[in-house]
Amino acid sequence: MTVPLSILDLAPIAPGETARDSFAASVALAQQAETSGYRRVWYAEHHNMATIASSATSVLIAHVASQTSTIRLGSGGVMLPNHSPLTVAEQFGTLETLHPGRIDLGLGRAPGSDQATFRALRRDPASSERFPQDVVELQAFLAGQSRIPGVSATPGAGTNVPLYILGSSTFGAQLAAALGLPFAFASHFAPDMLHDAVAIYRREFQPSTQLDAPYVIAGVNAIASDDSDDAHRQLADVKRARLLMLLRQSGQITVDRTFGDDELDHLLRTPVGAHVASMTTFTGVGTGEEVADYVAEFARSADADEVIVAHSSLATSARLRSVELLADAHARVAA
């Protein structure tokens, strides 16, 4: 049995392009995903990253929703410790009111940033520890059952936007299970605890008003091309780009420092390169059929009910082609 496919759009800003170009690419990708039969597209909250444009996640969702018709759109995720539950309820309540039945709210507790940005966001160091309580408070606002007397989310109350707990460890699995919420594991960049987390979630799941049985979404990377060799060349470029991103984020190199491909390939054999290799552990690469086969086997191994795919090609045109090729091959498998 084949599982539904969805997309995680990282809203990348390619070299030589702008955030505006990234937003246009996100619209085109969502439109292609809608045409190709994907279930949903999610956007992740990141801050202070020169190559990612999805920092104002709810605003990007609104923009894409206005230019699509049926596909579900949501956050994968909103980093709840960066915000008050009331603010998030109002934002996503507004989205659900404007685009009824199409909005998802995935929640994470990571900073989505470095320590300097953590301070710029005015985050309380203890905010991550309040994550479970904040999820419950947010859920109550959306249900119109506020836990704070005299305070209601408008819009938001009664919209019951579905919540999803995102995680890359067993903590998220245990919380999702206890609250009876769907669980999405970030195996597209943090693969190590995937199987343990899913097993814990399924074993400990408690039914809720939102969900009566466990539901797992697992992340995977994909590069599908008309030519398998081209797909592998694209993957090599993706690994080099991720290495540069990690080196710049850590301050090991300046933003304007450049390297040749041979130099980057050498660095990929160092410890920081090993981190890139880990991030791409679960990656389907090749023709549409080869990637579809990989994704199907990944879903079985991960015990996933749905797979959310990060199409990793650097060029927008290649990313759109990957979206199309995987969907077509997946549909043939399903038939």
Side-chain angles (χ1 to χ4, degrees), residues 55-129:
S55 55
T57 312
S58 60
V59 180
L60 180 56
I61 293 169
H63 176 62
V64 176
S66 70
Q67 299 186 62
T68 52
S69 302
T70 58
I71 194 163
R72 297 192 67 88
L73 300 166
S75 58
V78 161
M79 299 298 107
L80 188 54
N82 292 344
H83 314 274
S84 72
L86 176 60
T87 298
V88 176
E90 291 169 339
Q91 290 174 350
F92 279 78
T94 298
L95 288 169
E96 176 63 24
T97 301
L98 292 170
H99 307 283
R102 296 181 57 201
I103 303 301
D104 299 328
L105 178 47
L107 301 167
R109 68 166 183 154
S113 60
D114 53 51
Q115 287 301 310
T117 309
F118 179 97
R119 292 189 293 273
L121 287 166
R122 303 295 192 269
R123 278 189 52 158
D124 177 347
S127 54
S128 291
E129 301 305 316

Side-chain angles (χ1 to χ4, degrees), residues 20-310:
R20 187 180 182 89
D21 297 322
S22 172
F23 297 147
S26 287
V27 169
L29 188 146
Q31 290 172 339
Q32 181 64 64
E34 188 171 77
T35 300
S36 297
Y38 287 81
R39 175 165 289 185
R40 68 186 94 236
V41 180
W42 280 358
Y43 308 92
E45 177 186 344
H46 292 283
H47 299 282
N48 195 33
M49 293 188 180
T51 58
I52 296 178
S54 54
S55 55
T57 312
S58 60
V59 180
L60 180 56
I61 293 169
H63 176 62
V64 176
S66 70
Q67 299 186 62
T68 52
S69 302
T70 58
I71 194 163
R72 297 192 67 88
L73 300 166
S75 58
V78 161
M79 299 298 107
L80 188 54
N82 292 344
H83 314 274
S84 72
L86 176 60
T87 298
V88 176
E90 291 169 339
Q91 290 174 350
F92 279 78
T94 298
L95 288 169
E96 176 63 24
T97 301
L98 292 170
H99 307 283
R102 296 181 57 201
I103 303 301
D104 299 328
L105 178 47
L107 301 167
R109 68 166 183 154
S113 60
D114 53 51
Q115 287 301 310
T117 309
F118 179 97
R119 292 189 293 273
L121 287 166
R122 303 295 192 269
R123 278 189 52 158
D124 177 347
S127 54
S128 291
E129 301 305 316
R130 295 195 301 269
F131 180 65
Q133 293 80 12
D134 284 351
V135 172
V136 172
E137 184 177 315
L138 171 57
Q139 189 175 40
F141 278 131
L142 292 169
Q145 301 169 355
S146 174
R147 290 176 167 244
I148 302 177
V151 179
S152 179
T154 306
T159 57
N160 291 300
V161 177
L163 302 186
Y164 298 75
I165 299 298
L166 278 59
S168 57
S169 69
T170 57
F171 175 87
Q174 291 170 317
L175 179 62
L179 297 179
L181 296 175
F183 178 53
F185 193 88
S187 37
H188 64 290
F189 75 89
D192 292 348
M193 301 184 73
L194 169 64
H195 297 96
D196 288 345
V198 171
I200 289 170
Y201 169 70
R202 291 194 178 279
R203 183 174 68 246
E204 298 184 3
F205 180 84
Q206 299 294 316
S208 68
T209 55
Q210 178 177 328
L211 193 66
D212 59 5
Y215 193 85
V216 173
I217 302 175
V220 68
N221 301 291
I223 298 176
S225 174
D226 292 287
D227 177 76
S228 186
D229 289 341
D230 175 65
H232 284 275
R233 283 191 293 271
Q234 289 187 50
L235 178 60
D237 289 339
V238 166
K239 289 181 176 180
R240 293 171 189 137
R242 290 195 182 182
L243 175 65
L244 277 174
M245 179 185 71
L246 292 174
L247 291 172
R248 287 167 177 160
Q249 283 179 346
S250 64
Q252 295 181 62
I253 62 171
T254 58
V255 174
D256 58 352
R257 176 72 186 276
T258 60
F259 294 88
D261 287 351
D262 288 344
E263 292 175 292
L264 290 171
D265 290 341
H266 172 74
L267 289 170
L268 282 167
R269 294 189 287 272
T270 66
V272 69
H275 183 44
V276 174
S278 175
M279 293 172 68
T280 55
T281 296
F282 295 125
T283 301
V285 57
T287 64
E289 287 74 15
E290 289 170 334
V291 176
D293 288 344
Y294 180 91
V295 169
E297 178 54 37
F298 169 78
R300 285 190 289 270
S301 172
D303 197 12
D305 301 290
E306 180 178 334
V307 173
I308 190 161
V309 183

